[in-house]
Amino acid sequence: MPTPLPAVRPRRLRSSPLLRQLVRETELRPSDFVLPLFVRPGTGIRNEIASMPGNYQLSPDTLLDEIGSAKDLGIRSFMLFGIPARKDPEGRVALESDGIVQTALRAVRKAFGHEVYLLADECLCEYTDHGHCGVLHEVRPGVPDVDNDATLPLLVEQCVSHARSGADMVAPSGMTDGMVAAIRAGLDAAGFAAMPIMSYSAKYASGFYGPFRDAAESPPQFGDRNTYQMDPANSDEAMREVALDVAEGADIVMVKPALSYLDIIRRVKDRFGLPVAAYNVSGEFAMVKAAARNGWIDERRVTLEILTSIKRAGAGIILTYHAKDAARWLAGG
Ligand code: PBG
């Protein structure tokens, strides 16, 4: 008996670089990326974040340089996070028209007009002295927790203030129930009916946020975020969260983190069909950088593979600290 030979040969379509390119299903572009940036009051500040090489705490002036160089690489969308000069129990400084994100938004808008697209992260954790994502109340004697409904008006005010300062889109990240509906109503009432909302709809209580909390100086001072962020073990619950946000008027929904949640990204994309964003978070970034610095992985290859996997899973928008490197590599640099 001669060995039967295959009539169907998938390898035929892998036989040359040009053919592989012809049949490639997923292609990354710099315009897929949103670069998160951290801004703090002052001038001339450019503090590299130890666990996030190539990412900095910037002041509004150096922020302009950073955005300019990213723009030259083809990155046009940016997400701003603020590190305020002072914090208080309610995160009031987040709402002030001369707050750090408001100031930065105006500076970037003035320098770049509408050549760049500006998203503002909407959460109180960087502004509260306790580091939680809203105001607190006691749910039982001695047991503080985020007061969901008391937090909503503050989030609305923060969004409206950012809208007035020039944000193009608001991105609430606090996992507060009803936040999208409240913000939608607040924006509409303030004359911003056309402003889109990208909700951090399925945001998990994740260990991968470690480096971010150093970057944004926002770690919870006690406890954890398990009463508002999702249990990493849950998938159906993510569908419920996304369905609620869609019903409340979210224009784009986000899954966060990205890499350990590719299954969630795919489920959301298949089920809801609206634009899906994924946040390739600080810990995911730091692991790649650390391994690359040790010579254990090929940084370029691994980074592009990770970003491609996130897009292939269904996220057309990728928030990533790799944005500048990736754009450079995609351009052949
Ligand atoms: C909260 C917020 C966090 C991140 C983005 N928005 C931190 C948290 O929930 O503790 C994390 C992003 C990252 O790790 O890169 N406002």
Side-chain angles (χ1 to χ4, degrees):
M1 264 295 269
T3 309
L5 299 177
V8 180
R9 294 176 184 271
R11 288 185 55 189
R12 280 189 200 116
L13 295 184
R14 298 179 202 134
S15 61
S16 79
L18 288 179
L19 181 53
R20 288 196 293 275
Q21 193 170 41
L22 209 55
V23 299
R24 189 160 297 142
E25 297 174 40
T26 308
E27 207 115 33
L28 288 171
R29 301 165 305 195
S31 57
D32 301 329
F33 305 140
V34 178
L35 176 63
L37 294 169
F38 302 97
V39 60
R40 66 183 311 155
T43 51
I45 299 170
R46 195 172 163 82
N47 300 338
E48 189 163 26
I49 300 153
S51 52
M52 299 172 67
N55 288 265
Y56 304 84
Q57 292 182 342
L58 303 163
S59 45
D61 57 331
T62 55
L63 176 72
L64 299 183
D65 303 335
E66 184 68 14
I67 288 181
S69 65
K71 184 171 164 288
D72 291 343
L73 293 166
I75 316 269
R76 306 297 285 271
S77 300
F78 302 90
M79 167 88 94
L80 296 187
F81 291 92
I83 306 156
R86 61 200 153 74
K87 305 189 187 222
D88 67 61
E90 300 199 313
R92 287 273 161 197
V93 68
L95 317 178
E96 293 169 1
S97 64
D98 60 352
I100 181 59
V101 169
Q102 289 86 343
T103 303
L105 285 166
R106 283 192 297 269
V108 178
R109 192 56 82 208
K110 187 164 173 228
F112 295 99
H114 288 276
E115 300 267 289
V116 296
Y117 197 84
L118 300 176
L119 297 91
D121 179 82
E122 306 295 346
C123 190
L124 297 178
C125 69
E126 292 115 67
Y127 305 91
T128 52
D129 52 13
H130 45 73
H132 281 284
C133 300
V135 295
L136 300 178
H137 64 166
E138 286 200 339
V139 281
R140 285 186 297 284
V143 183
D145 194 4
V146 169
D147 183 340
N148 193 87
D149 300 0
T151 299
L152 289 172
L154 299 174
L155 277 177
V156 171
E157 226 185 293
Q158 185 182 31
C159 289
V160 170
S161 175
H162 290 162
R164 291 199 172 115
S165 304
D168 289 304
M169 190 188 293
V170 292
S173 65
M175 290 298 279
T176 316
D177 290 340
M179 67 185 183
V180 173
I183 290 166
R184 184 72 274 155
L187 288 174
D188 293 358
F192 296 101
M195 173 165 293
I197 299 174
M198 177 168 80
S199 180
Y200 288 62
S201 301
K203 178 177 181 181
Y204 287 86
S206 171
F208 288 102
Y209 306 150
F212 173 94
R213 291 178 189 173
D214 297 333
E217 300 180 5
S218 64
Q221 297 301 305
F222 63 87
D224 52 42
R225 303 207 199 287
N226 294 345
T227 65
Y228 41 102
Q229 298 181 348
M230 281 181 52
D231 183 339
N234 293 353
S235 172
D236 288 345
E237 190 188 353
M239 300 306 107
R240 186 168 186 236
E241 283 282 7
V242 172
L244 277 169
D245 281 356
V246 172
E248 291 178 27
D251 301 283
I252 300 173
V253 291
M254 193 202 293
V255 175
K256 177 187 174 185
L259 213 40
S260 290
Y261 301 88
L262 295 177
D263 57 324
I264 309 296
I265 295 172
R266 174 44 61 190
R267 274 191 87 181
V268 170
K269 186 65 192 169
D270 285 346
R271 169 93 64 107
F272 298 96
L274 78 177
V276 177
Y279 202 137
N280 175 216
V281 301
S282 57
E284 301 174 81
F285 174 82
M287 290 194 303
V288 171
K289 286 287 177 185
R293 287 194 164 189
N294 275 300
W296 295 339
I297 56 168
D298 175 339
E299 182 181 352
R300 172 185 173 138
R301 188 171 173 190
V302 166
T303 300
L304 293 176
E305 186 173 335
I306 286 173
L307 296 172
T308 300
S309 75
I310 296 169
K311 187 165 181 184
R312 189 197 63 228
I317 301 168
I318 306 173
L319 294 98
T320 180
Y321 306 99
H322 294 292
K324 284 174 70 180
D325 288 336
R328 208 176 287 120
W329 293 325
L330 290 173

